Amino acid sequence: MRVGITGHRGLSREVEQRVRQLLEEAISGFDAAELVGISCIADGPDAWFAEAVLRHGGGLEAVVPAEQYREGLPEDHWPVYDELMRRAAEVHHTGMTASDSQAHMAGSEILVGLADELLAVWDGKPAWGYGGTADVVSYAQRNGVPVRVLWPEGATRE
């Protein structure tokens, strides 16, 4: 089972803890021997998902939206990103250089194309900018990839 992830970044510590639990519960439902998690490994749900997949015994594939992607992530996330990239069995690239919304959406499109199912840490609201979680969910739905939304009841984004 090839499972992709998309989700909101910048969540509060309280929402993070609840999202991490939802991700653990979702992942525990998969056979570890058959599970491949697919992630762009951004800070937040992308990385939490990748870590949970590896803890569960599944494999990891990474999608790199742009050559400058890592530098566009928060510097304190770089060690986590580097470790998860090191553990990825396969890495897919868009071929783009600048880490902008077009590259992020292109990376998400590759991710969706590789997935049998998409987990979405999504509040159900429109994207704040092109390539946001809502756009990725919409792309998956248009392309027939099942989407499972994981969002803590009563939670809000800051």
Side-chain angles (χ1 to χ4, degrees):
M1 183 66 165
R2 299 173 60 78
V3 182
I5 183 69
T6 188
H8 300 308
R9 298 167 59 196
L11 300 174
S12 70
R13 177 60 76 189
E14 176 194 341
V15 174
E16 173 184 341
Q17 291 172 346
R18 294 166 65 195
V19 166
R20 283 180 179 268
Q21 181 62 38
L22 290 172
L23 287 167
E24 291 285 347
E25 290 168 5
I27 291 164
S28 70
F30 295 108
D31 179 346
E34 297 178 6
L35 176 61
V36 176
I38 309 162
S39 175
C40 292
I41 314 180
D43 51 303
D46 284 16
W48 307 333
F49 167 81
E51 292 167 337
V53 165
L54 292 170
R55 273 195 305 276
H56 186 61
L60 176 64
E61 291 185 15
V63 176
V64 180
E67 288 178 34
Q68 299 170 352
Y69 181 66
R70 178 183 180 272
E71 291 73 24
L73 297 172
E75 194 170 335
D76 64 350
H77 178 65
W78 292 358
V80 172
Y81 179 85
D82 293 345
E83 175 62 16
L84 290 170
M85 286 296 289
R86 188 186 65 73
R87 296 186 66 189
E90 195 167 344
V91 179
H92 308 272
H93 297 268
T94 65
M96 300 173 90
T97 301
S99 186
D100 56 19
S101 57
Q102 284 72 29
H104 298 170
M105 189 63 197
S108 294
E109 290 171 359
I110 289 172
L111 183 148
V112 168
L114 295 166
D116 299 313
E117 179 179 1
L118 180 68
L119 299 182
V121 177
W122 180 43
D123 63 3
K125 296 180 181 171
W128 288 357
Y130 177 69
T133 303
D135 293 335
V136 179
V137 168
S138 177
Y139 180 83
Q141 291 170 333
R142 286 193 315 271
N143 286 276
V145 176
V147 176
R148 186 180 344 169
V149 175
L150 305 176
W151 189 253
E153 188 172 330
T156 58
R157 290 168 63 193
E158 296 178 351

XYZ file of all heavy atoms in Angstrom, residues 69-111:
342
model
N 14.652 23.420 -2.284
C 13.574 23.114 -1.341
C 14.053 23.116 0.109
O 13.451 23.759 0.968
C 12.963 21.757 -1.704
C 11.816 21.309 -0.834
C 10.611 21.991 -0.830
C 11.936 20.175 -0.034
C 9.554 21.570 -0.048
C 10.881 19.740 0.742
C 9.695 20.440 0.739
O 8.640 20.015 1.514
N 15.124 22.378 0.396
C 15.600 22.259 1.777
C 15.885 23.635 2.368
O 15.533 23.922 3.518
C 16.856 21.392 1.836
C 17.457 21.234 3.229
C 18.751 20.418 3.153
N 19.373 20.216 4.431
C 20.245 21.061 4.986
N 20.580 22.191 4.368
N 20.791 20.770 6.156
N 16.528 24.508 1.586
C 16.890 25.836 2.075
C 15.658 26.687 2.384
O 15.736 27.630 3.167
C 17.789 26.553 1.068
C 19.173 25.947 0.956
C 19.209 24.601 0.231
O 18.298 24.303 -0.575
O 20.150 23.819 0.489
N 14.516 26.358 1.782
C 13.283 27.092 2.042
C 12.540 26.611 3.276
O 11.563 27.237 3.698
N 12.986 25.504 3.853
C 12.371 24.981 5.073
C 13.024 25.644 6.291
O 14.159 26.117 6.202
C 12.556 23.461 5.142
C 11.882 22.660 4.023
C 12.318 21.192 4.092
C 10.375 22.791 4.090
N 12.340 25.647 7.436
C 12.952 26.237 8.636
C 14.283 25.541 8.960
O 14.373 24.314 8.908
C 11.920 25.971 9.732
C 10.618 25.786 9.006
C 10.987 25.155 7.693
N 15.284 26.324 9.302
C 16.616 25.781 9.551
C 16.619 24.727 10.659
O 17.365 23.753 10.583
C 17.580 26.923 9.892
C 19.027 26.522 9.847
C 19.975 27.707 9.954
O 19.589 28.834 9.594
O 21.106 27.476 10.410
N 15.763 24.911 11.666
C 15.740 23.919 12.753
C 15.139 22.581 12.313
O 15.258 21.582 13.022
C 15.017 24.465 13.990
C 13.538 24.760 13.766
O 13.062 24.729 12.604
O 12.847 25.041 14.765
N 14.540 22.532 11.126
C 13.991 21.278 10.582
C 15.026 20.518 9.743
O 14.857 19.335 9.484
C 12.737 21.581 9.735
C 12.123 20.380 9.105
N 11.563 19.357 9.840
C 11.987 20.020 7.801
C 11.111 18.418 9.014
N 11.366 18.801 7.776
N 16.093 21.178 9.346
C 17.075 20.555 8.457
C 17.613 19.221 8.962
O 17.721 18.276 8.176
C 18.213 21.514 8.147
C 17.826 22.706 7.307
C 16.583 22.978 6.780
C 18.667 23.778 6.917
N 16.617 24.164 6.083
C 17.882 24.672 6.156
C 19.997 24.076 7.145
C 18.390 25.846 5.617
C 20.520 25.241 6.604
C 19.720 26.120 5.847
N 17.964 19.074 10.255
C 18.469 17.767 10.707
C 17.434 16.644 10.528
O 17.782 15.528 10.143
C 18.805 17.983 12.184
C 19.013 19.460 12.316
C 18.076 20.088 11.321
N 16.163 16.931 10.805
C 15.098 15.941 10.617
C 14.967 15.618 9.132
O 14.899 14.444 8.733
C 13.754 16.469 11.182
C 12.602 15.539 10.828
C 13.851 16.673 12.680
N 14.931 16.651 8.303
C 14.826 16.471 6.859
C 15.980 15.612 6.345
O 15.771 14.642 5.599
C 14.820 17.844 6.169
C 14.732 17.781 4.669
C 13.498 17.686 4.028
C 15.881 17.818 3.875
C 13.412 17.630 2.643
C 15.803 17.757 2.497
C 14.567 17.662 1.887
O 14.486 17.593 0.510
N 17.199 15.957 6.755
C 18.376 15.224 6.285
C 18.318 13.757 6.691
O 18.649 12.869 5.892
C 19.655 15.876 6.807
C 19.898 17.266 6.221
O 19.257 17.623 5.207
O 20.733 17.998 6.800
N 17.917 13.487 7.924
C 17.839 12.099 8.397
C 16.771 11.320 7.630
O 16.993 10.179 7.228
C 17.549 12.070 9.904
C 17.324 10.686 10.465
C 18.519 9.732 10.349
O 19.658 10.190 10.093
O 18.318 8.518 10.501
N 15.607 11.926 7.412
C 14.544 11.232 6.678
C 14.939 11.024 5.216
O 14.659 9.966 4.640
C 13.224 11.996 6.799
C 12.612 11.947 8.204
C 11.437 12.921 8.305
C 12.175 10.534 8.571
N 15.611 11.995 4.621
C 16.092 11.817 3.250
C 17.107 10.672 3.175
O 17.102 9.887 2.233
C 16.734 13.112 2.729
C 15.736 14.198 2.387
S 14.637 13.765 1.018
C 15.792 13.822 -0.344
N 17.948 10.573 4.186
C 18.934 9.493 4.233
C 18.243 8.125 4.299
O 18.715 7.147 3.726
C 19.851 9.685 5.438
C 21.034 8.732 5.489
C 21.824 8.864 6.781
N 21.082 8.470 7.958
C 20.770 7.213 8.286
N 21.129 6.226 7.507
N 20.095 6.965 9.385
N 17.102 8.071 4.974
C 16.387 6.811 5.170
C 15.422 6.482 4.037
O 14.870 5.388 3.991
C 15.661 6.831 6.512
C 16.667 6.928 7.676
C 16.030 6.812 9.012
N 15.464 5.481 9.203
C 14.699 5.161 10.235
N 14.424 6.064 11.162
N 14.196 3.952 10.347
N 15.214 7.414 3.123
C 14.299 7.181 1.998
C 14.889 6.155 1.038
O 16.041 6.259 0.631
C 14.013 8.484 1.269
N 14.083 5.174 0.681
C 14.526 4.126 -0.248
C 14.620 4.653 -1.671
O 15.412 4.164 -2.471
C 13.562 2.945 -0.187
N 13.794 5.651 -1.976
C 13.784 6.238 -3.312
C 13.454 7.719 -3.173
O 12.680 8.113 -2.305
C 12.745 5.535 -4.188
C 12.895 5.815 -5.660
C 12.069 4.864 -6.531
O 11.616 3.823 -6.049
O 11.893 5.212 -7.713
N 14.056 8.545 -4.041
C 13.805 9.985 -4.026
C 13.387 10.408 -5.430
O 14.047 10.079 -6.411
C 15.063 10.768 -3.583
C 14.790 12.271 -3.604
C 15.509 10.323 -2.194
N 12.264 11.115 -5.508
C 11.718 11.600 -6.776
C 11.908 13.115 -6.833
O 11.721 13.806 -5.847
C 10.218 11.259 -6.872
C 9.934 9.816 -6.613
N 9.946 8.861 -7.601
C 9.644 9.161 -5.460
C 9.659 7.680 -7.083
N 9.475 7.833 -5.782
N 12.270 13.640 -8.002
C 12.522 15.069 -8.182
C 11.607 15.634 -9.262
O 11.290 14.947 -10.233
C 13.977 15.298 -8.606
C 14.973 14.861 -7.588
N 15.471 15.706 -6.642
C 15.550 13.651 -7.368
C 16.330 15.044 -5.878
N 16.393 13.788 -6.303
N 11.227 16.903 -9.107
C 10.427 17.577 -10.134
C 11.307 18.115 -11.253
O 10.811 18.383 -12.343
C 9.640 18.769 -9.558
O 10.575 19.757 -9.109
C 8.715 18.360 -8.431
N 12.571 18.354 -10.960
C 13.463 18.978 -11.932
C 13.440 20.492 -11.857
O 14.132 21.166 -12.622
N 12.654 21.042 -10.938
C 12.566 22.492 -10.799
C 13.660 22.990 -9.849
O 14.156 22.229 -9.014
C 11.172 22.876 -10.311
C 10.073 22.407 -11.287
S 8.403 22.668 -10.670
C 8.126 24.305 -11.331
N 14.008 24.267 -9.952
C 15.077 24.827 -9.122
C 14.523 25.616 -7.948
O 14.840 25.330 -6.801
C 16.004 25.725 -9.972
O 16.545 24.932 -11.020
C 17.134 26.289 -9.123
N 13.715 26.640 -8.231
C 13.203 27.519 -7.178
C 12.138 26.803 -6.348
O 11.255 26.141 -6.883
C 12.627 28.782 -7.790
N 12.229 26.968 -5.031
C 11.257 26.370 -4.125
C 10.092 27.340 -3.932
O 10.018 28.075 -2.953
C 11.919 26.043 -2.784
O 11.023 25.341 -1.956
N 9.192 27.338 -4.918
C 8.043 28.242 -4.883
C 6.754 27.428 -4.952
O 6.783 26.192 -4.988
C 8.126 29.267 -6.008
C 8.236 28.633 -7.394
O 7.892 27.444 -7.558
O 8.658 29.345 -8.331
N 5.625 28.113 -4.977
C 4.340 27.408 -4.936
C 4.143 26.500 -6.147
O 3.559 25.416 -6.027
C 3.184 28.400 -4.798
O 3.194 29.336 -5.844
N 4.660 26.892 -7.307
C 4.531 26.036 -8.488
C 5.309 24.730 -8.294
O 4.823 23.653 -8.632
C 5.020 26.760 -9.757
C 4.050 27.798 -10.281
C 3.969 29.059 -9.422
O 4.926 29.444 -8.763
N 2.806 29.699 -9.421
N 6.518 24.825 -7.753
C 7.323 23.624 -7.492
C 6.669 22.756 -6.424
O 6.644 21.523 -6.543
C 8.734 24.015 -7.064
N 6.115 23.381 -5.397
C 5.471 22.616 -4.328
C 4.265 21.850 -4.877
O 4.055 20.687 -4.546
C 5.062 23.529 -3.178
C 6.224 24.210 -2.542
N 6.081 25.219 -1.627
C 7.573 24.037 -2.689
C 7.282 25.642 -1.238
N 8.194 24.933 -1.874
N 3.489 22.492 -5.743
C 2.340 21.800 -6.327
C 2.815 20.698 -7.270
O 2.236 19.607 -7.280
C 1.423 22.790 -7.050
C 0.102 22.184 -7.486
S -0.899 21.638 -6.047
C -2.070 20.560 -6.872
N 3.874 20.949 -8.031
C 4.413 19.912 -8.918
C 4.881 18.710 -8.107
O 4.644 17.553 -8.489
C 5.561 20.475 -9.751
N 5.531 18.963 -6.976
C 5.946 17.874 -6.095
C 4.756 17.104 -5.560
O 4.761 15.871 -5.512
N 3.717 17.835 -5.191
C 2.506 17.178 -4.680
C 1.825 16.354 -5.764
O 1.281 15.279 -5.492
C 1.535 18.222 -4.119
O 2.093 18.831 -2.974
N 1.859 16.838 -6.992
C 1.273 16.078 -8.098
C 2.039 14.773 -8.321
O 1.429 13.719 -8.556
C 1.234 16.926 -9.360
C 0.221 18.049 -9.277
C 0.286 19.038 -10.420
O 1.150 18.885 -11.318
O -0.519 19.990 -10.422
N 3.356 14.809 -8.227
C 4.148 13.579 -8.326
C 3.775 12.645 -7.183
O 3.537 11.449 -7.384
C 5.657 13.898 -8.317
C 6.056 14.561 -9.636
C 6.484 12.630 -8.077
C 7.484 15.091 -9.657
N 3.714 13.185 -5.971
C 3.362 12.394 -4.789
C 2.013 11.707 -4.980
O 1.889 10.492 -4.771
C 3.351 13.307 -3.557
C 3.087 12.676 -2.205
C 3.841 13.438 -1.123
C 1.607 12.676 -1.871
